Amino acid sequence: MIASLANVAPHPGTAAQGSAIVSVRNIKKTYPGGVEALSGITLDFPEGQLTTLLGPSGCGKTTLLKIIAGLLPATSGEVLVGGRTVTGPGPERSFVFQDFALMPWASVLRNVAFGLELRGVRKSEREAIAVGHIAKVGLKGFEYKYPHELSGGMRQRVGLARALAVDSAVIMMDEPFSAVDEQTRRKFQEDLLGLIANEKKTFLFVTHSIEEAVYVSDRIVLLSRRPSRVSTIIEPKLDRSGDPEGIRRDPAYLDAVEGIWQSLKKYLD
Amino acid sequence: MTMFGYRLPMMTSLILWAVLWELVGHTEAGFILPPLSKIVMRMGEILPTPSFAEALLITGRSFLTGVGIAVLAGVPIGILMGRSIIADRLLLPWVNLFLSAPLSALVPVIMVLFGLGEATIILTVTLFAIWIIVLNARVGVRSISPSLVEMAQSFGASRWQAFSKVYVWAALPEILAGVRLGVIRAVKGVVIGQLLVSVVGFGTLFEIYSSHFLMEHFWALLLVLFAFAFALNEGMAWLERKVQYYAASRA
Amino acid sequence: MPVAATNDFTEPAVAPVASSTSLRQIASHPLTLRFVSFGLLLVAWEYAGRIPISVAFPTFLETMRGLLDMAGDGSLLKAFLITLKPLIAGLMISIALGVGLGLLMGLSRFSEWLLGPIFIIAQAAPLAALIPVLTFAYGIGLTAKIMTVCIMAMPVIVMNTLSAVRNTPVSLVEMGRAFLGTRSQIITRIILPAASPMIFAGLRLGAAAAFIGIVLAELLITPTGIGDLISYHQSVADYPKMYASIFSIIVFSVLFIECLERVETVLFRPEKHAS
């Protein structure tokens, strides 16, 4: 623990090994009631990859993601994004929420353009950008619909388009598919792979589904039960060039799922 | 309610009640409860009179002013209470107290302080309407989804942007519900105020009709008032339904 | 959870430092601020009375002296006993009839069709305007006052009972039917217990409306009880005693409703928790 601190803290410019765009340095989080959620997490998130935080329910993965997003203050430790210490939300990061967090009074178009609206981008300009991203997530023709007229899966596509529209380097997704039914989720996961391949962005993904983690991730960080630490880092080497449905039959996929299940099993009961 | 395979709309039973009223009106009880047909005819007679128009004008004016004050003061106070724990702890006991206190007992105080005029009626209306408006605005601000707040933060919204673009809109369904309930209470307030003051607006007419035992006139006035209150309530409910999809997305 | 949302709202939401100030700690103690709140209002009342903002605005201390005087010579107790009679009678009738009609409407579509519109209108309409008619019909005695309490209190009790029955979870009723419960079993063992918290909440609202009604009746029909104290002291310009009478009836009603609320939480806490 002390070694890792000495290792990185004084050199914000170096931003650690290789091409880590997000670095988490000895983050601890204790909630006011005295519940210790995270006990000294140190992690690097390589640029251009999708890294998943995976762990049992209530292990603090969402807490860690929100600390990186600047939405929650850490009790101690620091988060570096692009070499700079995080003190709050910033334009280089955007967030996709578990419950979508769409504004029910605004159309799809305005929801997607909202990040740009807050930055003071002109209406015609931001709407042109938003229209492009709405098409990219497969919602062309729904620009003037309202969230309550869309299905759960479509609403989360809006959430994703909103995160893409601000063109941030890092996109954080907090269990984005947990409120979506199974069939929609599978389709969405496949589409997400396509989007990731096209966007040269870094994705931080939180999920409690082992299959989902292995399916979409370049790297999987296994977190232990609360108070949370990094238990293992797994890099499933899957061939994602072919048919997205084929991945689910790939022996490497099945082995990775089984391996993670074996190591998570010990945290149950 | 279905009858002979047809679905009868809810309000159709009022026709039955109207017939019953007409019949009762022709018995001895017609002394107190004149037949509906006569009341309706009397209504057509008094509605065009200048004294009715004047009463309506004064009542409407003090009603609207009172409700206006209640909304303009109540909504910001409610939002403040929803946002600040200290303001909430300081004000909530009073809001709860006045919400269920017998406000009719306070009307004499307003009368001795502000005289037997329109000001007293306006303040009575405000007194009846404001508490529920405050309470609902407070609940509205408090029930904003935490993730919507985080969403605004994550895109770097300034305080004013978060307030004007997110919080006010997110709390709108509850604020509107509060205004509707406040308006219903305000109608009761304006009538109670005028009954007690009895020299302003409809209060004068109530006084004249009842002291001269003009039951047909009195009932005509009552029907106009009730119809107005009902229409106001339905209109507000319609407005509220227009933003109901908000609440659905809260679940 | 909504509390968390409002906290984020008031804080700048930056700087990863724990932000607990001493002010917040004081504020987190509800009783301190409640006392501060009551103290502030009483001081403001006393101060406004001493300016004075109006000859008809006594100070808090004068009002309390008036209250003690009336409590001492027994006139307050006598007035309350007179006021309570039509209040309790009217409230009892409203509860019995109101809950009964509400249940009937909730369980039978026909009675809802027949009675629903009446009570929907009654809840929105300013029924206080009926008081002069009631006076003609029942004279200036006790009956008219009881009726006034009834027309004020009953609509809200009926409507709350109706929606309480309507809000019984469908799955619970289906469960009862799946286990072959008879209609009367389903009503007495499922619908009534499920609806009782909300029915009781309606009784509380009804009681509040009943207090408005009785004060109004005693001011409008003939001055009796508390209404008599208020109008008599108003007419002789003894403002401390007039304010004290109003103060006493408001405090009484607030305590009465507070008691009902206590009973409600004791009886129905588990259900409240679940919903």
Side-chain angles (χ1 to χ4, degrees), chain C residues 99 160 164 188 190-204 259-275:
Chain C
V99 173
N160 260 55
T188 53
I190 294 175
I191 294 178
L192 279 183
S196 31
M198 199 171 166
I199 294 177
F200 204 89
L203 300 191
R204 197 155 41 85
C259 278
L260 283 182
E261 217 171 327
R262 289 277 158 83
V263 173
E264 193 179 333
T265 21
V266 169
L267 284 179
F268 305 115
R269 185 167 275 161
E271 284 90 340
K272 267 184 141 184
H273 223 77
S275 71

Side-chain angles (χ1 to χ4, degrees), chain C residues 180-216:
Chain C
L180 305 178
T182 62
R183 185 165 160 78
S184 66
Q185 280 176 323
I186 290 175
I187 290 171
T188 53
R189 315 242 171 121
I190 294 175
I191 294 178
L192 279 183
S196 31
M198 199 171 166
I199 294 177
F200 204 89
L203 300 191
R204 197 155 41 85
L205 295 174
F211 271 95
I212 293 188
I214 192 61
V215 171
L216 211 50

Side-chain angles (χ1 to χ4, degrees), chain C residues 102-103 105-107 109 112 158-174 190-199 201-202 271 274-275:
Chain C
L103 288 178
M105 285 160 65
L107 297 172
R109 290 279 162 190
E112 191 189 1
V158 171
M159 293 314 281
N160 260 55
T161 309
L162 171 61
S163 42
V165 175
R166 284 268 174 279
N167 283 343
T168 309
V170 177
S171 61
L172 273 184
V173 176
E174 282 173 348
I190 294 175
I191 294 178
L192 279 183
S196 31
M198 199 171 166
I199 294 177
E271 284 90 340
S275 71

Side-chain angles (χ1 to χ4, degrees), chain B residues 190-229:
Chain B
V190 81
V191 168
I192 288 175
Q194 295 192 348
L195 279 171
L196 289 172
V197 174
S198 81
V199 293
V200 178
F202 286 132
T204 325
L205 296 184
F206 281 139
E207 187 63 26
I208 295 171
Y209 296 161
S210 61
S211 61
H212 292 81
F213 205 70
L214 299 168
M215 277 292 125
E216 286 171 19
H217 290 75
F218 196 93
W219 278 105
L221 192 56
L222 280 184
L223 283 192
V224 170
L225 264 178
F226 288 7
F228 172 75

Side-chain angles (χ1 to χ4, degrees), chain A residues 26 30-31 39 42 67 72 106 115 148 182 185 228 243 250:
Chain A
N26 200 25
T30 308
Y31 280 107
S39 70
T42 300
I67 289 173
L72 274 181
H148 68 280
E182 180 62 29
R185 187 181 310 159
S228 225
D243 166 31
D250 186 341

Side-chain angles (χ1 to χ4, degrees), chain C:
Chain C
M1 268 312 108
V3 183
T6 44
N7 283 347
D8 290 342
F9 192 176
T10 49
E11 278 164 7
V14 276
V17 205
S19 62
S20 69
T21 59
S22 61
L23 196 62
R24 192 151 285 231
Q25 271 164 3
I26 298 169
S28 67
H29 204 298
L31 272 183
T32 10
L33 274 181
R34 185 169 266 230
F35 276 120
V36 169
S37 173
F38 276 84
L40 275 180
L41 195 96
L42 295 186
V43 169
W45 180 355
E46 182 69 22
Y47 181 74
R50 286 190 185 202
I51 296 177
I53 55 168
S54 159
V55 284
F57 193 84
T59 67
F60 172 66
L61 292 177
E62 281 168 2
T63 307
M64 288 304 109
R65 209 169 298 133
L67 190 66
L68 282 179
D69 284 352
M70 288 193 298
D73 65 17
S75 57
L76 195 65
L77 184 69
K78 219 168 84 194
F80 263 99
L81 288 179
I82 294 171
T83 300
L84 278 178
K85 211 186 291 170
L87 176 73
I88 299 295
L91 196 54
M92 286 301 172
I93 295 172
S94 305
I95 289 173
L97 216 58
V99 173
L101 285 175
L103 288 178
L104 187 68
M105 285 160 65
L107 297 172
S108 124
R109 290 279 162 190
F110 174 74
S111 22
E112 191 189 1
W113 170 80
L114 189 67
L115 299 171
I118 303 278
F119 284 102
I120 290 174
I121 292 174
Q123 216 188 2
L127 288 189
L130 281 173
I131 293 175
V133 179
L134 291 176
T135 317
F136 281 125
Y138 298 101
I140 55 168
L142 195 63
T143 323
K145 284 173 188 163
I146 294 176
M147 292 299 287
T148 307
V149 173
C150 286
I151 59 165
M152 300 299 273
M154 210 153 70
V156 66
I157 296 178
V158 171
M159 293 314 281
N160 260 55
T161 309
L162 171 61
S163 42
V165 175
R166 284 268 174 279
N167 283 343
T168 309
V170 177
S171 61
L172 273 184
V173 176
E174 282 173 348
M175 181 274 289
R177 284 173 50 202
F179 286 104
L180 305 178
T182 62
R183 185 165 160 78
S184 66
Q185 280 176 323
I186 290 175
I187 290 171
T188 53
R189 315 242 171 121
I190 294 175
I191 294 178
L192 279 183
S196 31
M198 199 171 166
I199 294 177
F200 204 89
L203 300 191
R204 197 155 41 85
L205 295 174
F211 271 95
I212 293 188
I214 192 61
V215 171
L216 211 50
E218 291 195 328
L219 288 173
L220 275 178
I221 300 176
T222 44
T224 51
I226 289 294
D228 182 38
L229 286 186
I230 297 172
S231 34
Y232 171 73
H233 291 120
Q234 181 184 346
S235 64
V236 299
D238 187 349
Y239 295 116
K241 283 191 177 164
M242 175 196 167
Y243 279 56
S245 319
I246 293 167
F247 181 86
S248 68
I249 185 70
I250 288 180
V251 168
F252 183 81
S253 82
V254 166
L255 291 180
F256 186 88
I257 287 158
E258 180 87 22
C259 278
L260 283 182
E261 217 171 327
R262 289 277 158 83
V263 173
E264 193 179 333
T265 21
V266 169
L267 284 179
F268 305 115
R269 185 167 275 161
E271 284 90 340
K272 267 184 141 184
H273 223 77
S275 71

